[in-house]
């Protein structure tokens, strides 16, 4: 039996501007809300819900902790495996998304590019290239398993 803790069902992202975040996720990911109210929008990604939650309402779900500000720096990165990083990057640029880095080939056998959403959440698109430096695992980063072939 699979452990119930091995499937991530939803991720809540704390955002300063809900309207800008919804517009970004609709444009970039073609994601539509399956639920929304005045402080949140839950967007469906295949088997995952990404919940955009106004930072002012985040405290109620993470108390006694407080949400960090955008200027605190990245603490995580989402990776989306794609077939053609360069084509996805062209599409992102057409939709007004500025790339932070890439596309570039990584020594672990991936071609990657990075961007952020309006709230500063880091995203990576990654494509398996099969070309890797000696001893490097083929994965989006040396510590993340490679996508299925």
């Amino acid at each position: 039996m699979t452990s119930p803790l091995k499937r991530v069902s939803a991720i809540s992202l704390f955002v300063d501007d809900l309207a800008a975040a919804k517009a970004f996720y609709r444009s970039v990911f073609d994601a539509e809300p399956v639920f929304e109210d005045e402080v949140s929008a839950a967007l469906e990604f295949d088997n995952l819900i990404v919940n955009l939650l106004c930072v002012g309402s985040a405290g109620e779900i993470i108390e006694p902790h407080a949400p960090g500000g955008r200027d605190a720096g990245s603490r995580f990165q989402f990776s989306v495996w794609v077939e053609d990083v360069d084509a996805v990057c062209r599409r992102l640029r057409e939709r007004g998304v500025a790339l932070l880095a890439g596309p570039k080939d990584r020594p672990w056998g991936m071609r990657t590019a990075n961007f952020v959403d309006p709230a500063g959440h880091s995203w990576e698109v990654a494509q398996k290239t099969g070309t890797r430096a000696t001893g490097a695992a083929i994965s989006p980063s040396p510590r993340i398993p490679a996508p299925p072939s």
Side-chain angles (χ1 to χ4, degrees), residues 69-107:
R70 179 182 176 160
D71 60 348
S74 293
R75 299 285 310 258
F76 65 89
Q77 176 170 273
F78 295 104
S79 295
V80 179
W81 292 312
V82 299
E83 291 183 25
D84 186 341
V85 164
D86 295 280
V88 170
C89 288
R90 282 191 296 277
R91 181 174 169 230
L92 290 170
R93 286 186 195 105
E94 289 169 2
R95 294 179 179 205
V97 177
L99 298 177
L100 298 177
K104 60 183 166 183
D105 293 324
R106 302 295 192 158

Side-chain angles (χ1 to χ4, degrees), residues 30-84:
D30 296 322
E32 291 297 324
V34 293
F35 171 82
E36 60 185 311
D37 60 20
E38 63 279 351
V39 297
S40 68
L43 310 171
E44 190 168 15
F45 284 67
D46 286 338
N47 297 319
L48 176 72
I49 298 294
V50 174
N51 181 43
L52 306 174
L53 180 63
C54 288
V55 71
S57 297
E60 69 185 80
I61 66 170
I62 62 169
E63 60 188 0
H65 297 282
R70 179 182 176 160
D71 60 348
S74 293
R75 299 285 310 258
F76 65 89
Q77 176 170 273
F78 295 104
S79 295
V80 179
W81 292 312
V82 299
E83 291 183 25
D84 186 341

